[in-house]
Amino acid sequence: MKFFPVMPVIFIAAYIFVAASIAINTPQYAMIGIGSIILFMLIYFFTRGMKKQIT
Amino acid sequence: MRKGNRIILYLPLMKSNKLNLFSLTMIVIGLVIGLGIFRTSSDAAKAALTPNVFFFAWVAGGLIALCGALTYAEIGSRLPVTGGYYKIFAECYHPSIAFAINCIILISNAASLSGVALIGSEYISQIIFTTEPSSFIKALIAMSAIILFYGVNLMGLKMSSRTQNVLMIIKIGLVVLLISSLFFPSNYASQTITAIVPDPSWNDYIKSFGIALIAVSFTYGGYQQTINFGEEVENPRKTIPRGIFIGILIIIALYLTISFAYYKIIGFEELKVSKGIASIVAEKMFGAPGKYVISILLFLAVLAYVNVLLLSNPRVMYAMSMDGILPAAFKKKDEKKDVLTVSLSVFAAMCVIVLFFADTFDKILSFTIFLDSFGMAFSAATIFILRKRTSILMAPAFIP
């Protein structure tokens, strides 16, 4: 890729700006978003734990 | 597959059902051009203090999309696997993060597909019925569209990608038709700009630009899902980057010119408060029948979106199943037709269920806009990790 790492850095910075703006303007969206990530991560670890116990 | 600190790729040798450059480019464009550009372009206009801020947001959004496209082009070329959007999180961060983000994306994509199918059924209802049908009838029409394209996808990757090509040519034709309104200056609206903020400061301009850019960035998104097709692309290390690059250039050109057409035909102030902007332009061009023609074309545009999401999402479920996160049934594949039968059936069923709970899922969709941006930033950042891990494997390929 030409201009590496400028291209990905611009893109990442832009989407961090968008995510931060949403978090500032509508904090409930960010809270529910992060909450659901944590919930699904817990589901992942829980199901992995269950599988290990079975095997 | 990850071994120690390096990623080793196991690519199947079967070539018959693979996507070529044209089909992949159509998928890229299909994933980005949903219905937003035909309806919600007014959100960016509403946020913009002046037409210059409006156009600047579209240009900046296009440049950011280009940076993103080049980044995902290289990611797709370095890790060309089915369900790539799941795999990059799993390989570069942790499977739990990959599972969490992709489960939410799957639910939000099912909600998005159903929402768009419902809008499509509204368009076609205007043609079929003289009075507005009930919500249940609209949901049934949307369900028929989902079932029809579920059937198309069951017939194989070749069939579904050919269908996608035809629908995308119609969709691009629709955008070009709306852009052609620029050749009829007699339809141009008179531009009267009303200042929302009297005597705006630089701070007001920057704020307004930021809000307009957020609206625009969602209209430009979606192409990152192209990396889900990794193994199913002909010569993926060359075709994926080319497809993403060509696709995004076409999208930028279409978006910039159609925004200019909306501005010229509808007028900046009117654009801020208008709904169904594509219909307004068509009506100005062709009179009352224009509205009907555009409704049929928009319905076909909806079908293109339904088809591409049915194509892309089951591949994420397949990758999760390959990693043992989802049950083994999800990796069941009809090798002859290249169809992920169980994953496709489950995703289509999710979309049908969502149809009947559209209001609840509309709320879910608004919550996921934060996660979408968060996911884009984090997935793009995997380029730095992939560059280190795949440096030995990569011979010079087309990475623009």
PDB file of all heavy atoms in Angstrom, chain B residues 226-261:
ATOM      1  N   THR B 226     -16.610  -7.179   2.293  1.00  0.00           N
ATOM      2  CA  THR B 226     -16.143  -7.894   1.099  1.00  0.00           C
ATOM      3  C   THR B 226     -15.107  -8.952   1.468  1.00  0.00           C
ATOM      4  O   THR B 226     -15.011  -9.987   0.801  1.00  0.00           O
ATOM      5  CB  THR B 226     -15.505  -6.886   0.110  1.00  0.00           C
ATOM      6  OG1 THR B 226     -16.397  -5.796  -0.036  1.00  0.00           O
ATOM      7  CG2 THR B 226     -15.244  -7.507  -1.230  1.00  0.00           C
ATOM      8  N   ILE B 227     -14.337  -8.696   2.534  1.00  0.00           N
ATOM      9  CA  ILE B 227     -13.283  -9.654   2.895  1.00  0.00           C
ATOM     10  C   ILE B 227     -13.864 -10.985   3.374  1.00  0.00           C
ATOM     11  O   ILE B 227     -13.143 -11.952   3.535  1.00  0.00           O
ATOM     12  CB  ILE B 227     -12.276  -9.073   3.915  1.00  0.00           C
ATOM     13  CG1 ILE B 227     -12.960  -8.685   5.230  1.00  0.00           C
ATOM     14  CG2 ILE B 227     -11.526  -7.893   3.341  1.00  0.00           C
ATOM     15  CD1 ILE B 227     -11.964  -8.287   6.324  1.00  0.00           C
ATOM     16  N   ASN B 228     -15.197 -11.044   3.589  1.00  0.00           N
ATOM     17  CA  ASN B 228     -15.837 -12.313   3.958  1.00  0.00           C
ATOM     18  C   ASN B 228     -15.787 -13.350   2.845  1.00  0.00           C
ATOM     19  O   ASN B 228     -16.010 -14.520   3.072  1.00  0.00           O
ATOM     20  CB  ASN B 228     -17.313 -12.085   4.330  1.00  0.00           C
ATOM     21  CG  ASN B 228     -17.445 -11.482   5.711  1.00  0.00           C
ATOM     22  OD1 ASN B 228     -16.565 -11.667   6.548  1.00  0.00           O
ATOM     23  ND2 ASN B 228     -18.501 -10.746   5.939  1.00  0.00           N
ATOM     24  N   PHE B 229     -15.548 -12.908   1.603  1.00  0.00           N
ATOM     25  CA  PHE B 229     -15.599 -13.821   0.462  1.00  0.00           C
ATOM     26  C   PHE B 229     -14.236 -14.442   0.136  1.00  0.00           C
ATOM     27  O   PHE B 229     -14.110 -15.173  -0.841  1.00  0.00           O
ATOM     28  CB  PHE B 229     -16.147 -13.099  -0.785  1.00  0.00           C
ATOM     29  CG  PHE B 229     -17.587 -12.700  -0.629  1.00  0.00           C
ATOM     30  CD1 PHE B 229     -17.924 -11.469  -0.111  1.00  0.00           C
ATOM     31  CD2 PHE B 229     -18.599 -13.575  -0.971  1.00  0.00           C
ATOM     32  CE1 PHE B 229     -19.254 -11.102   0.073  1.00  0.00           C
ATOM     33  CE2 PHE B 229     -19.921 -13.225  -0.807  1.00  0.00           C
ATOM     34  CZ  PHE B 229     -20.254 -11.983  -0.287  1.00  0.00           C
ATOM     35  N   GLY B 230     -13.221 -14.090   0.948  1.00  0.00           N
ATOM     36  CA  GLY B 230     -11.833 -14.505   0.715  1.00  0.00           C
ATOM     37  C   GLY B 230     -11.582 -15.718  -0.181  1.00  0.00           C
ATOM     38  O   GLY B 230     -11.183 -15.582  -1.328  1.00  0.00           O
ATOM     39  N   GLU B 231     -11.854 -16.907   0.342  1.00  0.00           N
ATOM     40  CA  GLU B 231     -11.496 -18.137  -0.388  1.00  0.00           C
ATOM     41  C   GLU B 231     -12.319 -18.346  -1.651  1.00  0.00           C
ATOM     42  O   GLU B 231     -11.953 -19.148  -2.498  1.00  0.00           O
ATOM     43  CB  GLU B 231     -11.722 -19.359   0.512  1.00  0.00           C
ATOM     44  CG  GLU B 231     -10.698 -19.504   1.604  1.00  0.00           C
ATOM     45  CD  GLU B 231     -11.150 -20.483   2.670  1.00  0.00           C
ATOM     46  OE1 GLU B 231     -11.788 -21.493   2.331  1.00  0.00           O
ATOM     47  OE2 GLU B 231     -10.885 -20.238   3.846  1.00  0.00           O
ATOM     48  N   GLU B 232     -13.468 -17.652  -1.739  1.00  0.00           N
ATOM     49  CA  GLU B 232     -14.365 -17.912  -2.868  1.00  0.00           C
ATOM     50  C   GLU B 232     -14.119 -16.979  -4.049  1.00  0.00           C
ATOM     51  O   GLU B 232     -14.943 -16.854  -4.942  1.00  0.00           O
ATOM     52  CB  GLU B 232     -15.807 -17.816  -2.398  1.00  0.00           C
ATOM     53  CG  GLU B 232     -16.165 -19.008  -1.555  1.00  0.00           C
ATOM     54  CD  GLU B 232     -17.136 -18.679  -0.450  1.00  0.00           C
ATOM     55  OE1 GLU B 232     -16.929 -17.675   0.252  1.00  0.00           O
ATOM     56  OE2 GLU B 232     -18.091 -19.401  -0.297  1.00  0.00           O
ATOM     57  N   VAL B 233     -12.983 -16.292  -4.007  1.00  0.00           N
ATOM     58  CA  VAL B 233     -12.644 -15.348  -5.067  1.00  0.00           C
ATOM     59  C   VAL B 233     -11.506 -15.940  -5.904  1.00  0.00           C
ATOM     60  O   VAL B 233     -10.581 -16.531  -5.354  1.00  0.00           O
ATOM     61  CB  VAL B 233     -12.192 -14.006  -4.436  1.00  0.00           C
ATOM     62  CG1 VAL B 233     -11.793 -13.008  -5.498  1.00  0.00           C
ATOM     63  CG2 VAL B 233     -13.288 -13.433  -3.550  1.00  0.00           C
ATOM     64  N   GLU B 234     -11.600 -15.757  -7.197  1.00  0.00           N
ATOM     65  CA  GLU B 234     -10.530 -16.220  -8.101  1.00  0.00           C
ATOM     66  C   GLU B 234      -9.267 -15.430  -7.787  1.00  0.00           C
ATOM     67  O   GLU B 234      -9.323 -14.184  -7.733  1.00  0.00           O
ATOM     68  CB  GLU B 234     -10.917 -15.871  -9.548  1.00  0.00           C
ATOM     69  CG  GLU B 234     -11.607 -16.973 -10.302  1.00  0.00           C
ATOM     70  CD  GLU B 234     -12.035 -16.508 -11.680  1.00  0.00           C
ATOM     71  OE1 GLU B 234     -11.416 -15.579 -12.254  1.00  0.00           O
ATOM     72  OE2 GLU B 234     -13.010 -17.067 -12.156  1.00  0.00           O
ATOM     73  N   ASN B 235      -8.171 -16.091  -7.627  1.00  0.00           N
ATOM     74  CA  ASN B 235      -6.903 -15.430  -7.337  1.00  0.00           C
ATOM     75  C   ASN B 235      -7.083 -14.302  -6.301  1.00  0.00           C
ATOM     76  O   ASN B 235      -6.862 -13.129  -6.599  1.00  0.00           O
ATOM     77  CB  ASN B 235      -6.333 -14.875  -8.654  1.00  0.00           C
ATOM     78  CG  ASN B 235      -4.872 -14.531  -8.526  1.00  0.00           C
ATOM     79  OD1 ASN B 235      -4.275 -14.716  -7.453  1.00  0.00           O
ATOM     80  ND2 ASN B 235      -4.289 -14.014  -9.588  1.00  0.00           N
ATOM     81  N   PRO B 236      -7.504 -14.667  -5.071  1.00  0.00           N
ATOM     82  CA  PRO B 236      -7.950 -13.655  -4.097  1.00  0.00           C
ATOM     83  C   PRO B 236      -6.934 -12.555  -3.781  1.00  0.00           C
ATOM     84  O   PRO B 236      -7.318 -11.414  -3.558  1.00  0.00           O
ATOM     85  CB  PRO B 236      -8.272 -14.470  -2.845  1.00  0.00           C
ATOM     86  CG  PRO B 236      -7.608 -15.786  -3.030  1.00  0.00           C
ATOM     87  CD  PRO B 236      -7.522 -16.021  -4.501  1.00  0.00           C
ATOM     88  N   ARG B 237      -5.648 -12.919  -3.790  1.00  0.00           N
ATOM     89  CA  ARG B 237      -4.655 -11.911  -3.403  1.00  0.00           C
ATOM     90  C   ARG B 237      -4.604 -10.749  -4.384  1.00  0.00           C
ATOM     91  O   ARG B 237      -4.185  -9.648  -4.044  1.00  0.00           O
ATOM     92  CB  ARG B 237      -3.272 -12.549  -3.247  1.00  0.00           C
ATOM     93  CG  ARG B 237      -3.181 -13.336  -1.929  1.00  0.00           C
ATOM     94  CD  ARG B 237      -1.784 -13.818  -1.685  1.00  0.00           C
ATOM     95  NE  ARG B 237      -0.802 -12.781  -1.871  1.00  0.00           N
ATOM     96  CZ  ARG B 237       0.431 -13.003  -2.290  1.00  0.00           C
ATOM     97  NH1 ARG B 237       0.810 -14.213  -2.589  1.00  0.00           N
ATOM     98  NH2 ARG B 237       1.273 -12.005  -2.415  1.00  0.00           N
ATOM     99  N   LYS B 238      -5.021 -10.997  -5.635  1.00  0.00           N
ATOM    100  CA  LYS B 238      -5.050  -9.901  -6.608  1.00  0.00           C
ATOM    101  C   LYS B 238      -6.463  -9.343  -6.756  1.00  0.00           C
ATOM    102  O   LYS B 238      -6.656  -8.137  -6.839  1.00  0.00           O
ATOM    103  CB  LYS B 238      -4.573 -10.407  -7.976  1.00  0.00           C
ATOM    104  CG  LYS B 238      -3.088 -10.433  -8.114  1.00  0.00           C
ATOM    105  CD  LYS B 238      -2.692 -10.748  -9.544  1.00  0.00           C
ATOM    106  CE  LYS B 238      -1.180 -10.727  -9.665  1.00  0.00           C
ATOM    107  NZ  LYS B 238      -0.741 -11.119 -10.985  1.00  0.00           N
ATOM    108  N   THR B 239      -7.451 -10.246  -6.810  1.00  0.00           N
ATOM    109  CA  THR B 239      -8.820  -9.815  -7.130  1.00  0.00           C
ATOM    110  C   THR B 239      -9.471  -9.040  -5.988  1.00  0.00           C
ATOM    111  O   THR B 239     -10.182  -8.054  -6.248  1.00  0.00           O
ATOM    112  CB  THR B 239      -9.679 -11.053  -7.494  1.00  0.00           C
ATOM    113  OG1 THR B 239      -8.939 -11.846  -8.410  1.00  0.00           O
ATOM    114  CG2 THR B 239     -10.986 -10.652  -8.135  1.00  0.00           C
ATOM    115  N   ILE B 240      -9.258  -9.448  -4.737  1.00  0.00           N
ATOM    116  CA  ILE B 240      -9.905  -8.738  -3.620  1.00  0.00           C
ATOM    117  C   ILE B 240      -9.463  -7.266  -3.581  1.00  0.00           C
ATOM    118  O   ILE B 240     -10.311  -6.362  -3.591  1.00  0.00           O
ATOM    119  CB  ILE B 240      -9.672  -9.454  -2.258  1.00  0.00           C
ATOM    120  CG1 ILE B 240     -10.394 -10.808  -2.251  1.00  0.00           C
ATOM    121  CG2 ILE B 240     -10.174  -8.598  -1.095  1.00  0.00           C
ATOM    122  CD1 ILE B 240     -10.182 -11.642  -1.005  1.00  0.00           C
ATOM    123  N   PRO B 241      -8.143  -6.974  -3.574  1.00  0.00           N
ATOM    124  CA  PRO B 241      -7.755  -5.553  -3.552  1.00  0.00           C
ATOM    125  C   PRO B 241      -8.285  -4.784  -4.761  1.00  0.00           C
ATOM    126  O   PRO B 241      -8.782  -3.668  -4.622  1.00  0.00           O
ATOM    127  CB  PRO B 241      -6.231  -5.587  -3.576  1.00  0.00           C
ATOM    128  CG  PRO B 241      -5.835  -6.961  -3.262  1.00  0.00           C
ATOM    129  CD  PRO B 241      -6.986  -7.863  -3.517  1.00  0.00           C
ATOM    130  N   ARG B 242      -8.224  -5.412  -5.950  1.00  0.00           N
ATOM    131  CA  ARG B 242      -8.701  -4.713  -7.152  1.00  0.00           C
ATOM    132  C   ARG B 242     -10.192  -4.428  -7.066  1.00  0.00           C
ATOM    133  O   ARG B 242     -10.638  -3.337  -7.383  1.00  0.00           O
ATOM    134  CB  ARG B 242      -8.420  -5.559  -8.389  1.00  0.00           C
ATOM    135  CG  ARG B 242      -7.010  -5.419  -8.876  1.00  0.00           C
ATOM    136  CD  ARG B 242      -6.804  -6.188 -10.163  1.00  0.00           C
ATOM    137  NE  ARG B 242      -5.421  -6.085 -10.585  1.00  0.00           N
ATOM    138  CZ  ARG B 242      -4.793  -6.982 -11.308  1.00  0.00           C
ATOM    139  NH1 ARG B 242      -5.430  -8.073 -11.691  1.00  0.00           N
ATOM    140  NH2 ARG B 242      -3.542  -6.818 -11.663  1.00  0.00           N
ATOM    141  N   GLY B 243     -10.954  -5.445  -6.639  1.00  0.00           N
ATOM    142  CA  GLY B 243     -12.416  -5.307  -6.552  1.00  0.00           C
ATOM    143  C   GLY B 243     -12.805  -4.193  -5.587  1.00  0.00           C
ATOM    144  O   GLY B 243     -13.654  -3.354  -5.894  1.00  0.00           O
ATOM    145  N   ILE B 244     -12.160  -4.188  -4.404  1.00  0.00           N
ATOM    146  CA  ILE B 244     -12.487  -3.165  -3.395  1.00  0.00           C
ATOM    147  C   ILE B 244     -12.103  -1.784  -3.933  1.00  0.00           C
ATOM    148  O   ILE B 244     -12.857  -0.818  -3.821  1.00  0.00           O
ATOM    149  CB  ILE B 244     -11.776  -3.456  -2.045  1.00  0.00           C
ATOM    150  CG1 ILE B 244     -12.288  -4.771  -1.444  1.00  0.00           C
ATOM    151  CG2 ILE B 244     -12.002  -2.313  -1.060  1.00  0.00           C
ATOM    152  CD1 ILE B 244     -11.662  -5.170  -0.117  1.00  0.00           C
ATOM    153  N   PHE B 245     -10.922  -1.690  -4.545  1.00  0.00           N
ATOM    154  CA  PHE B 245     -10.420  -0.402  -5.045  1.00  0.00           C
ATOM    155  C   PHE B 245     -11.318   0.152  -6.169  1.00  0.00           C
ATOM    156  O   PHE B 245     -11.768   1.298  -6.113  1.00  0.00           O
ATOM    157  CB  PHE B 245      -8.982  -0.592  -5.537  1.00  0.00           C
ATOM    158  CG  PHE B 245      -8.295   0.676  -5.936  1.00  0.00           C
ATOM    159  CD1 PHE B 245      -8.049   1.668  -4.990  1.00  0.00           C
ATOM    160  CD2 PHE B 245      -7.896   0.896  -7.242  1.00  0.00           C
ATOM    161  CE1 PHE B 245      -7.413   2.845  -5.352  1.00  0.00           C
ATOM    162  CE2 PHE B 245      -7.257   2.067  -7.609  1.00  0.00           C
ATOM    163  CZ  PHE B 245      -7.013   3.044  -6.662  1.00  0.00           C
ATOM    164  N   ILE B 246     -11.618  -0.682  -7.164  1.00  0.00           N
ATOM    165  CA  ILE B 246     -12.455  -0.225  -8.284  1.00  0.00           C
ATOM    166  C   ILE B 246     -13.856   0.103  -7.766  1.00  0.00           C
ATOM    167  O   ILE B 246     -14.438   1.137  -8.111  1.00  0.00           O
ATOM    168  CB  ILE B 246     -12.529  -1.302  -9.409  1.00  0.00           C
ATOM    169  CG1 ILE B 246     -11.133  -1.548  -9.987  1.00  0.00           C
ATOM    170  CG2 ILE B 246     -13.506  -0.891 -10.510  1.00  0.00           C
ATOM    171  CD1 ILE B 246     -11.034  -2.762 -10.893  1.00  0.00           C
ATOM    172  N   GLY B 247     -14.384  -0.783  -6.894  1.00  0.00           N
ATOM    173  CA  GLY B 247     -15.737  -0.576  -6.354  1.00  0.00           C
ATOM    174  C   GLY B 247     -15.861   0.750  -5.647  1.00  0.00           C
ATOM    175  O   GLY B 247     -16.798   1.528  -5.894  1.00  0.00           O
ATOM    176  N   ILE B 248     -14.899   1.067  -4.794  1.00  0.00           N
ATOM    177  CA  ILE B 248     -15.023   2.299  -3.999  1.00  0.00           C
ATOM    178  C   ILE B 248     -14.853   3.537  -4.894  1.00  0.00           C
ATOM    179  O   ILE B 248     -15.505   4.557  -4.666  1.00  0.00           O
ATOM    180  CB  ILE B 248     -14.056   2.300  -2.779  1.00  0.00           C
ATOM    181  CG1 ILE B 248     -14.621   3.179  -1.649  1.00  0.00           C
ATOM    182  CG2 ILE B 248     -12.677   2.775  -3.103  1.00  0.00           C
ATOM    183  CD1 ILE B 248     -15.752   2.659  -0.904  1.00  0.00           C
ATOM    184  N   LEU B 249     -14.013   3.433  -5.927  1.00  0.00           N
ATOM    185  CA  LEU B 249     -13.872   4.583  -6.844  1.00  0.00           C
ATOM    186  C   LEU B 249     -15.197   4.854  -7.565  1.00  0.00           C
ATOM    187  O   LEU B 249     -15.609   6.019  -7.703  1.00  0.00           O
ATOM    188  CB  LEU B 249     -12.766   4.321  -7.876  1.00  0.00           C
ATOM    189  CG  LEU B 249     -11.324   4.428  -7.379  1.00  0.00           C
ATOM    190  CD1 LEU B 249     -10.363   4.245  -8.543  1.00  0.00           C
ATOM    191  CD2 LEU B 249     -11.044   5.757  -6.680  1.00  0.00           C
ATOM    192  N   ILE B 250     -15.884   3.785  -7.995  1.00  0.00           N
ATOM    193  CA  ILE B 250     -17.185   3.961  -8.662  1.00  0.00           C
ATOM    194  C   ILE B 250     -18.180   4.587  -7.676  1.00  0.00           C
ATOM    195  O   ILE B 250     -18.908   5.522  -8.013  1.00  0.00           O
ATOM    196  CB  ILE B 250     -17.715   2.596  -9.191  1.00  0.00           C
ATOM    197  CG1 ILE B 250     -16.791   2.075 -10.302  1.00  0.00           C
ATOM    198  CG2 ILE B 250     -19.151   2.713  -9.701  1.00  0.00           C
ATOM    199  CD1 ILE B 250     -17.088   0.664 -10.788  1.00  0.00           C
ATOM    200  N   ILE B 251     -18.176   4.084  -6.436  1.00  0.00           N
ATOM    201  CA  ILE B 251     -19.113   4.587  -5.423  1.00  0.00           C
ATOM    202  C   ILE B 251     -18.874   6.078  -5.157  1.00  0.00           C
ATOM    203  O   ILE B 251     -19.812   6.877  -5.124  1.00  0.00           O
ATOM    204  CB  ILE B 251     -18.974   3.771  -4.107  1.00  0.00           C
ATOM    205  CG1 ILE B 251     -19.520   2.356  -4.327  1.00  0.00           C
ATOM    206  CG2 ILE B 251     -19.715   4.440  -2.956  1.00  0.00           C
ATOM    207  CD1 ILE B 251     -19.017   1.339  -3.344  1.00  0.00           C
ATOM    208  N   ILE B 252     -17.599   6.460  -4.989  1.00  0.00           N
ATOM    209  CA  ILE B 252     -17.287   7.871  -4.717  1.00  0.00           C
ATOM    210  C   ILE B 252     -17.796   8.737  -5.870  1.00  0.00           C
ATOM    211  O   ILE B 252     -18.446   9.768  -5.648  1.00  0.00           O
ATOM    212  CB  ILE B 252     -15.764   8.067  -4.480  1.00  0.00           C
ATOM    213  CG1 ILE B 252     -15.343   7.376  -3.173  1.00  0.00           C
ATOM    214  CG2 ILE B 252     -15.405   9.554  -4.424  1.00  0.00           C
ATOM    215  CD1 ILE B 252     -13.840   7.313  -2.943  1.00  0.00           C
ATOM    216  N   ALA B 253     -17.513   8.313  -7.109  1.00  0.00           N
ATOM    217  CA  ALA B 253     -17.947   9.094  -8.277  1.00  0.00           C
ATOM    218  C   ALA B 253     -19.479   9.225  -8.301  1.00  0.00           C
ATOM    219  O   ALA B 253     -20.016  10.320  -8.515  1.00  0.00           O
ATOM    220  CB  ALA B 253     -17.448   8.427  -9.556  1.00  0.00           C
ATOM    221  N   LEU B 254     -20.177   8.110  -8.037  1.00  0.00           N
ATOM    222  CA  LEU B 254     -21.648   8.135  -8.061  1.00  0.00           C
ATOM    223  C   LEU B 254     -22.208   9.018  -6.941  1.00  0.00           C
ATOM    224  O   LEU B 254     -23.114   9.827  -7.164  1.00  0.00           O
ATOM    225  CB  LEU B 254     -22.218   6.715  -7.924  1.00  0.00           C
ATOM    226  CG  LEU B 254     -22.006   5.765  -9.107  1.00  0.00           C
ATOM    227  CD1 LEU B 254     -22.501   4.371  -8.766  1.00  0.00           C
ATOM    228  CD2 LEU B 254     -22.700   6.265 -10.372  1.00  0.00           C
ATOM    229  N   TYR B 255     -21.659   8.869  -5.743  1.00  0.00           N
ATOM    230  CA  TYR B 255     -22.167   9.630  -4.591  1.00  0.00           C
ATOM    231  C   TYR B 255     -21.964  11.140  -4.756  1.00  0.00           C
ATOM    232  O   TYR B 255     -22.849  11.929  -4.435  1.00  0.00           O
ATOM    233  CB  TYR B 255     -21.492   9.156  -3.295  1.00  0.00           C
ATOM    234  CG  TYR B 255     -22.132   7.935  -2.668  1.00  0.00           C
ATOM    235  CD1 TYR B 255     -23.092   7.184  -3.343  1.00  0.00           C
ATOM    236  CD2 TYR B 255     -21.788   7.523  -1.389  1.00  0.00           C
ATOM    237  CE1 TYR B 255     -23.677   6.067  -2.763  1.00  0.00           C
ATOM    238  CE2 TYR B 255     -22.370   6.404  -0.792  1.00  0.00           C
ATOM    239  CZ  TYR B 255     -23.313   5.683  -1.488  1.00  0.00           C
ATOM    240  OH  TYR B 255     -23.886   4.586  -0.906  1.00  0.00           O
ATOM    241  N   LEU B 256     -20.770  11.521  -5.246  1.00  0.00           N
ATOM    242  CA  LEU B 256     -20.498  12.955  -5.385  1.00  0.00           C
ATOM    243  C   LEU B 256     -21.417  13.574  -6.434  1.00  0.00           C
ATOM    244  O   LEU B 256     -21.989  14.643  -6.220  1.00  0.00           O
ATOM    245  CB  LEU B 256     -19.028  13.203  -5.744  1.00  0.00           C
ATOM    246  CG  LEU B 256     -18.013  12.900  -4.636  1.00  0.00           C
ATOM    247  CD1 LEU B 256     -16.603  13.195  -5.111  1.00  0.00           C
ATOM    248  CD2 LEU B 256     -18.299  13.703  -3.373  1.00  0.00           C
ATOM    249  N   THR B 257     -21.596  12.877  -7.552  1.00  0.00           N
ATOM    250  CA  THR B 257     -22.419  13.470  -8.612  1.00  0.00           C
ATOM    251  C   THR B 257     -23.907  13.435  -8.254  1.00  0.00           C
ATOM    252  O   THR B 257     -24.626  14.381  -8.544  1.00  0.00           O
ATOM    253  CB  THR B 257     -22.183  12.781  -9.980  1.00  0.00           C
ATOM    254  OG1 THR B 257     -21.992  11.406  -9.766  1.00  0.00           O
ATOM    255  CG2 THR B 257     -21.008  13.340 -10.713  1.00  0.00           C
ATOM    256  N   ILE B 258     -24.351  12.376  -7.586  1.00  0.00           N
ATOM    257  CA  ILE B 258     -25.782  12.337  -7.233  1.00  0.00           C
ATOM    258  C   ILE B 258     -26.095  13.396  -6.160  1.00  0.00           C
ATOM    259  O   ILE B 258     -27.171  14.002  -6.178  1.00  0.00           O
ATOM    260  CB  ILE B 258     -26.257  10.921  -6.806  1.00  0.00           C
ATOM    261  CG1 ILE B 258     -27.784  10.831  -6.995  1.00  0.00           C
ATOM    262  CG2 ILE B 258     -25.891  10.579  -5.395  1.00  0.00           C
ATOM    263  CD1 ILE B 258     -28.370   9.459  -6.795  1.00  0.00           C
ATOM    264  N   SER B 259     -25.143  13.644  -5.262  1.00  0.00           N
ATOM    265  CA  SER B 259     -25.364  14.690  -4.252  1.00  0.00           C
ATOM    266  C   SER B 259     -25.486  16.047  -4.936  1.00  0.00           C
ATOM    267  O   SER B 259     -26.305  16.888  -4.544  1.00  0.00           O
ATOM    268  CB  SER B 259     -24.207  14.742  -3.247  1.00  0.00           C
ATOM    269  OG  SER B 259     -24.072  13.501  -2.648  1.00  0.00           O
ATOM    270  N   PHE B 260     -24.653  16.241  -5.958  1.00  0.00           N
ATOM    271  CA  PHE B 260     -24.719  17.503  -6.713  1.00  0.00           C
ATOM    272  C   PHE B 260     -26.062  17.612  -7.445  1.00  0.00           C
ATOM    273  O   PHE B 260     -26.684  18.673  -7.483  1.00  0.00           O
ATOM    274  CB  PHE B 260     -23.550  17.569  -7.711  1.00  0.00           C
ATOM    275  CG  PHE B 260     -23.426  18.891  -8.400  1.00  0.00           C
ATOM    276  CD1 PHE B 260     -23.183  20.063  -7.674  1.00  0.00           C
ATOM    277  CD2 PHE B 260     -23.568  18.998  -9.776  1.00  0.00           C
ATOM    278  CE1 PHE B 260     -23.086  21.289  -8.314  1.00  0.00           C
ATOM    279  CE2 PHE B 260     -23.462  20.218 -10.425  1.00  0.00           C
ATOM    280  CZ  PHE B 260     -23.223  21.367  -9.690  1.00  0.00           C
ATOM    281  N   ALA B 261     -26.540  16.467  -7.984  1.00  0.00           N
ATOM    282  CA  ALA B 261     -27.836  16.462  -8.686  1.00  0.00           C
ATOM    283  C   ALA B 261     -28.973  16.784  -7.707  1.00  0.00           C
ATOM    284  O   ALA B 261     -29.856  17.595  -8.014  1.00  0.00           O
ATOM    285  CB  ALA B 261     -28.063  15.108  -9.346  1.00  0.00           C
TER     286      ALA B 261
END
